[in-house]
Amino acid sequence: MQEGAQVIAGVQGAMSPQQLIGALVKKGELTDPASPRGRLLNAAARLFEQKGFSRTTVRDLAAEVGILSGSIFHHFSSKEQILCEVMKEVTIFASARMRSAVEQAASPQEKLRACIQSELEAIHERAVPGFSILVMEWRSLSDKSQKEVLLLRDEYEQIWLDAINSAHCPGGDATVVRRLMVGALSHTYSWFKVRENGLTIPELTDRAYQIFAPKI
Amino acid sequence: MQEGAQVIAGVQGAMSPQQLIGALVKKGELTDPASPRGRLLNAAARLFEQKGFSRTTVRDLAAEVGILSGSIFHHFSSKEQILCEVMKEVTIFASARMRSAVEQAASPQEKLRACIQSELEAIHERAVPGFSILVMEWRSLSDKSQKEVLLLRDEYEQIWLDAINSAHCPGGDATVVRRLMVGALSHTYSWFKVRENGLTIPELTDRAYQIFAPKI
DNA sequence: TTGAATACCAAGCGCTTGCTTGGTAGCGTT
DNA sequence: AACGCTACCAAGCAAGCGCTTGGTATTCAA
């Protein structure tokens, strides 16, 4: 059993989101989504993403999980701490997801494409609920919390930078390219809808790849 | 003198922001920034951009122009209306600015480059204070206000779409390309700083152009 | 000289906000 | 049976919020 899980973990791309979450929970890197704290974090991720951090009240959040607002502060010390914890867990999960997607890809070009698709899936599928919060609500965090999240964020960005460098994208150094790309991709949250019978995520990935990847 | 101004207006790219604002005020399209209402709108644009709409209180805004909070509602019916008016005036000004920049450019490629540079200047120079609000605070507007702003926004976007189409950018239809671009460019607000002795705006324009324009 | 319009003050209302406090029900351990 | 721990409720506080009301000083046209 353990060995079987190891094998599956080796080909992580084949892991379902639930499997990946389970593995990360076991390692103690994520909060169990079935626990009271975990349910609060998931609900907060959804609400902060839908309505924005400052337009979400602790009463909204409490109602979402079926408790009273005061009870939230048995699990968290402040509303801002909830945002911080959400961002940290979202980052950890998105990193693990993208790393496994990149590992599955063979060529540098495919790795870059995997990054793009992984981030788009994180934003639009249920893959990583709350991912867009990372960009949209950054200013709602205190300086102290920003530093905490940034430590985890660096891992995530390093995967991107490696992919961009290896693929030899145009537009100068990888940092600038990545920053332009994170803007382009995260902004899709406000206009791209999966359900409409228009663009699909793989198609949108293609468009972005055509733009950012080197044209031969 | 008047003729001289006319000549300069003909080559509108040479107009200073103050001249352009003056012309638009004369046409009744913008509020006079020297009027009480105009000073409130300018202060609101600065504050909403710096701190975000919901983190800016009417008391903050009142203090910024040196009046009491209640006096604001002599000029506006609600805080949200202020945001709406700011967005409308910002859009009108940015449209006029970009149109003149595009008219000055000769080739389709130069027109696209002019669009990119104009939008980056709008975001980062004092050129169009509050421009980033258009993207960042969109969700803070009511549906009704969104429609009002959208009418003006369409003009602005049409300039972009024409430029993208004429320049034959990769990445499929112009609408998607523009949407990826607006994300990339507006997100620069949170990482690009003019003062640092790093990238300049023309240099950043080049990077973005290299990415989005067709490579030969 | 009067009257209307503009721009603002002074005071505060009603509501919502994040958060606190004191207490309790359920549960597993000893 | 007694304990301690977790998870929660019930009630509400203090502060801050957008906004209202009634009144005043200044300006300018009639």
Side-chain angles (χ1 to χ4, degrees):
Chain A
M1 268 307 225
Q2 283 282 22
E3 274 74 6
Q6 272 302 103
V7 169
I8 292 173
V11 193
Q12 284 182 344
M15 283 179 88
S16 73
Q18 281 74 10
Q19 283 176 309
L20 186 50
I21 289 175
L24 291 168
V25 169
K26 227 171 197 170
K27 281 199 280 180
E29 297 182 12
L30 284 190
T31 304
D32 182 358
S35 70
R37 181 190 163 96
R39 281 187 293 125
L40 275 169
L41 287 174
N42 277 335
R46 281 200 310 274
L47 289 174
F48 293 166
E49 191 160 62
Q50 281 169 26
K51 319 204 305 173
F53 176 70
S54 59
R55 279 179 294 275
T56 302
T57 69
V58 292
R59 284 167 178 82
D60 292 336
L61 178 53
E64 193 77 4
V65 301
I67 61 175
L68 293 187
S69 65
S71 306
I72 287 179
F73 299 92
H74 176 71
H75 302 279
F76 301 96
S77 65
S78 71
K79 186 189 172 191
E80 196 233 319
Q81 199 215 337
I82 301 177
L83 177 62
C84 180
E85 295 297 319
V86 165
M87 284 191 175
K88 290 205 276 190
E89 303 230 342
V90 164
T91 304
I92 289 169
F93 181 44
S95 277
R97 236 186 75 88
M98 196 168 69
R99 184 173 290 114
S100 73
V102 168
E103 280 169 5
Q104 271 210 306
S107 69
Q109 284 73 24
E110 280 172 14
K111 281 180 194 297
L112 177 62
R113 206 186 173 287
C115 282
I116 296 173
Q117 178 148 341
S118 177
E119 192 155 298
L120 285 173
E121 285 170 356
I123 295 170
H124 297 286
E125 318 255 56
R126 321 253 147 80
V128 186
F131 185 84
S132 67
I133 299 173
L134 292 174
V135 171
M136 301 196 55
E137 300 296 345
W138 186 248
R139 289 194 302 173
S140 300
L141 278 184
S142 67
D143 289 357
K144 193 169 157 295
S145 298
Q146 283 190 6
K147 277 174 193 157
E148 286 182 43
V149 180
L150 221 51
L151 280 175
L152 296 165
R153 179 87 189 179
D154 283 344
E155 292 180 42
Y156 183 82
E157 292 301 324
Q158 196 55 53
I159 305 174
W160 267 103
L161 293 180
D162 292 344
I164 292 170
N165 277 321
S166 304
H168 301 293
C169 294
D173 70 301
T175 308
V176 172
V177 174
R178 165 56 182 158
R179 282 173 169 165
L180 290 171
M181 213 177 315
V182 73
L185 298 183
S186 62
H187 183 59
T188 63
Y189 180 77
S190 58
W191 61 268
F192 178 79
K193 296 297 164 219
V194 176
R195 275 293 162 198
E196 283 172 24
N197 42 2
L199 276 180
T200 63
I201 287 204
E203 283 166 358
L204 182 55
T205 303
D206 281 337
R207 307 292 184 94
Y209 181 80
Q210 281 171 37
I211 291 171
F212 284 98
K215 326 291 186 301
I216 319 147
Chain B
M1 269 301 227
Q2 284 283 23
E3 276 73 9
Q6 271 304 103
V7 170
I8 291 175
V11 193
Q12 283 183 344
M15 280 178 90
S16 73
Q18 282 74 11
Q19 284 176 308
L20 186 51
I21 290 175
L24 291 169
V25 169
K26 226 172 199 169
K27 280 198 281 179
E29 298 184 10
L30 284 190
T31 304
D32 183 358
S35 71
R37 181 191 163 95
R39 280 187 292 123
L40 275 169
L41 287 175
N42 277 335
R46 281 200 309 275
L47 289 174
F48 292 165
E49 192 159 62
Q50 281 170 26
K51 318 205 305 171
F53 175 70
S54 58
R55 281 178 294 275
T56 303
T57 69
V58 293
R59 286 167 176 84
D60 291 336
L61 178 53
E64 192 77 4
V65 301
I67 62 176
L68 292 189
S69 66
S71 306
I72 286 179
F73 299 92
H74 178 70
H75 302 279
F76 301 95
S77 66
S78 70
K79 186 189 170 190
E80 197 234 318
Q81 198 215 339
I82 301 176
L83 177 61
C84 180
E85 296 296 318
V86 165
M87 283 191 175
K88 289 205 276 191
E89 302 230 343
V90 163
T91 303
I92 290 168
F93 181 44
S95 277
R97 235 185 75 86
M98 196 168 70
R99 184 172 290 114
S100 74
V102 168
E103 280 168 4
Q104 269 208 308
S107 68
Q109 284 72 25
E110 280 172 15
K111 282 181 194 296
L112 177 61
R113 207 186 173 286
C115 282
I116 297 173
Q117 178 147 342
S118 178
E119 191 155 298
L120 286 172
E121 285 170 358
I123 295 170
H124 297 286
E125 318 255 57
R126 321 254 146 78
V128 186
F131 184 85
S132 67
I133 299 173
L134 292 175
V135 172
M136 302 196 55
E137 300 295 345
W138 186 249
R139 289 194 302 173
S140 300
L141 277 185
S142 67
D143 290 357
K144 193 169 157 294
S145 297
Q146 282 189 6
K147 277 173 193 157
E148 285 183 42
V149 180
L150 221 51
L151 281 175
L152 296 165
R153 179 85 190 181
D154 284 344
E155 292 181 42
Y156 182 83
E157 292 301 324
Q158 196 55 53
I159 306 174
W160 265 103
L161 293 179
D162 292 344
I164 291 170
N165 277 322
S166 304
H168 300 293
C169 292
D173 70 301
T175 308
V176 171
V177 174
R178 165 57 182 157
R179 282 173 169 165
L180 291 170
M181 213 176 314
V182 72
L185 298 183
S186 62
H187 183 59
T188 62
Y189 180 76
S190 58
W191 59 269
F192 178 79
K193 297 296 165 216
V194 177
R195 276 291 161 199
E196 284 173 23
N197 41 1
L199 277 180
T200 64
I201 286 206
E203 283 166 358
L204 183 56
T205 303
D206 281 338
R207 306 293 184 94
Y209 181 81
Q210 281 170 38
I211 291 170
F212 284 97
K215 313 341 178 259
I216 319 145

